[in-house]
Amino acid sequence: MLFDRYYPAVARYFHNKVPDALAADLVQATFLAAVEGRDRFRAEGSVRSYLLGVAHNLLCRHYRTEYGRGRGREVDLSLMSVADLGPTVSQQIAGRQEQHLLLLALRSIPFELQEVLELHYWEELDTAQIGEIVGIPRGTVKSRMARGRRLLEAELSRLTADPTLVQSTLASLEDWAAKLREQIDRP
């Protein structure tokens, strides 16, 4: 009941402050923290205000952790905007380029290699689970994954002359797989 009633307000709070995927995580974390901290709710204000206060605290903690301490600096939220704290336009464009290259490269390697890589990265399955699905031993899955990664790198290099783009795409393969999984799962 709590979630049904207050989800729209909490979701709106995060809407223009963080990317959609992160907003969904923060909404969930807000309700979890509110339920876990229900003893701190004194009923002096509304439940909505309490939830939005929890949301505020989580968002501030996210900004300070993500953009402050991790980079060796303090984040002064009274001086910084959401635009200052988010990815730049060039970072967003680079991300889309990496994603596009990754999809093209995956489609260009042999199916049996593409399949094991996608099952591992997109479905987050281990080699035993993949072996069970495709009907091959674990060792064969491991060798296909290694060969698939090598061919994926070669295909990425063929698709772009920018070695930095190839390396950044390969270095963040798991992150890109998670982002692609989210995009595909969206209704």
Side-chain angles (χ1 to χ4, degrees):
M1 232 170 50
L2 183 73
F3 185 82
D4 289 341
R5 177 176 276 172
Y6 297 106
Y7 170 81
V10 174
R12 280 190 305 269
Y13 177 80
F14 291 115
H15 175 69
N16 201 30
K17 296 173 186 71
V18 293
D20 290 343
L22 178 58
D25 291 343
L26 288 171
V27 167
Q28 183 178 4
T30 297
F31 282 97
L32 180 62
V35 169
E36 288 175 347
R38 66 185 170 272
D39 295 339
R40 289 188 296 268
F41 178 64
R42 294 185 182 85
E44 294 168 357
S46 70
V47 172
R48 182 172 180 246
S49 296
Y50 172 69
L51 285 169
L52 291 174
V54 172
H56 166 80
N57 291 335
L58 287 171
L59 183 62
C60 290
R61 183 180 323 143
H62 165 75
Y63 282 150
R64 287 186 179 107
T65 301
E66 186 69 22
Y67 300 102
R69 283 180 252 146
R71 297 182 179 162
R73 62 183 173 148
E74 273 301 309
V75 173
D76 186 346
L77 296 175
S78 68
L79 299 175
M80 299 185 85
S81 69
V82 171
D84 295 332
L85 297 169
T88 65
V89 172
S90 61
Q91 288 170 325
Q92 290 174 339
I93 290 169
R96 284 194 290 272
Q97 284 178 319
E98 288 174 339
Q99 211 170 45
H100 180 71
L101 274 176
L102 177 60
L103 288 174
L104 284 175
L106 276 170
R107 291 178 56 105
S108 300
I109 64 174
F111 171 76
E112 67 180 18
L113 305 178
Q114 175 189 353
E115 181 181 38
V116 296
L117 288 175
E118 288 178 357
L119 287 170
H120 176 72
Y121 289 108
W122 288 8
E123 300 304 322
E124 299 175 321
L125 299 175
D126 62 30
T127 54
Q129 293 168 313
I130 295 169
E132 188 177 318
I133 290 168
V134 298
I136 57 175
R138 270 183 82 193
T140 305
V141 172
K142 287 180 182 181
S143 64
R144 284 186 186 178
M145 286 180 62
R147 186 166 160 241
R149 285 187 197 107
R150 283 193 306 274
L151 287 178
L152 186 64
E153 182 174 5
E155 193 58 31
L156 286 167
S157 296
R158 186 186 72 74
L159 291 169
T160 182
D162 183 354
T164 306
L165 188 57
V166 171
Q167 290 310 309
S168 66
T169 302
L170 288 172
S172 58
L173 189 56
E174 289 181 12
D175 293 337
W176 290 119
K179 288 176 185 172
L180 288 172
R181 188 172 49 248
E182 288 171 13
Q183 286 181 354
I184 291 168
D185 288 347
R186 282 189 198 141

